Amino acid sequence: MQNTRLNNLLETIARSLSQWFLNPWRRLSLLLISFLFGFFLGSAVSTTTGQKAELDIVVAAFLVLLTEITSRIFYSRSFFARQAFWVETLNYLKVGFIYSLFLEAFKLGS
């Protein structure tokens, strides 16, 4: 990439954020927030799409596609290789999302 001011600024911000998230407590808290946000998204999506009941199949197909793409990104590397932090955060978001959808299905089944 070209060495522009914007590129330098973005690299500096990314470097400082990566140094900031090396702290284990900050890393764990961001992963927990990602999981809980995924849980919220799953609950919100299932409630919103279930309200109208017009595009249920299309939305379900889109959500399955997104979760499969996320799984492909996360599991494409070697098991022992260190994952990028944003990939790990995205995986926790996916896990919270899927967990929320399972709980919504259990609520509807009972």
Side-chain angles (χ1 to χ4, degrees), residues 56-68:
D56 287 344
I57 296 174
V58 175
V59 170
F62 182 69
L63 294 177
V64 167
L65 181 72
L66 283 179
T67 56
E68 289 298 322

Side-chain angles (χ1 to χ4, degrees), residues 31 33-39 41 88-98:
L31 291 176
I33 288 170
S34 177
F35 176 79
L36 292 174
F37 185 67
F39 189 85
L41 280 178
E88 192 174 354
T89 306
L90 186 66
N91 189 47
Y92 273 84
L93 182 88
K94 177 195 73 162
V95 169
F97 182 78
I98 292 173

Side-chain angles (χ1 to χ4, degrees), residues 2-60:
Q2 292 182 353
N3 196 11
T4 61
R5 288 183 192 173
L6 181 62
N7 193 20
N8 289 339
L9 178 67
L10 291 178
E11 285 179 5
T12 305
I13 290 172
R15 194 177 321 114
S16 65
L17 279 177
S18 67
Q19 289 295 321
W20 194 71
F21 283 124
L22 284 178
N23 186 341
W25 286 106
R26 290 182 187 141
R27 185 177 182 89
L28 182 65
S29 66
L30 189 65
L31 291 176
L32 182 64
I33 288 170
S34 177
F35 176 79
L36 292 174
F37 185 67
F39 189 85
F40 169 74
L41 280 178
S43 178
V45 165
S46 66
T47 304
T48 305
T49 59
Q51 188 71 27
K52 278 203 160 202
E54 291 177 358
L55 297 173
D56 287 344
I57 296 174
V58 175
V59 170

Side-chain angles (χ1 to χ4, degrees), residues 96-107:
F97 182 78
I98 292 173
Y99 181 64
S100 172
L101 290 180
F102 271 108
L103 284 182
E104 290 291 329
F106 284 139
K107 283 194 272 186

Side-chain angles (χ1 to χ4, degrees), residues 68-77 83 86-87 90:
E68 289 298 322
I69 289 171
T70 304
S71 295
R72 174 70 63 134
I73 291 170
F74 185 74
Y75 295 113
S76 67
R77 297 192 177 108
Q83 298 285 335
W86 70 270
V87 174
L90 186 66

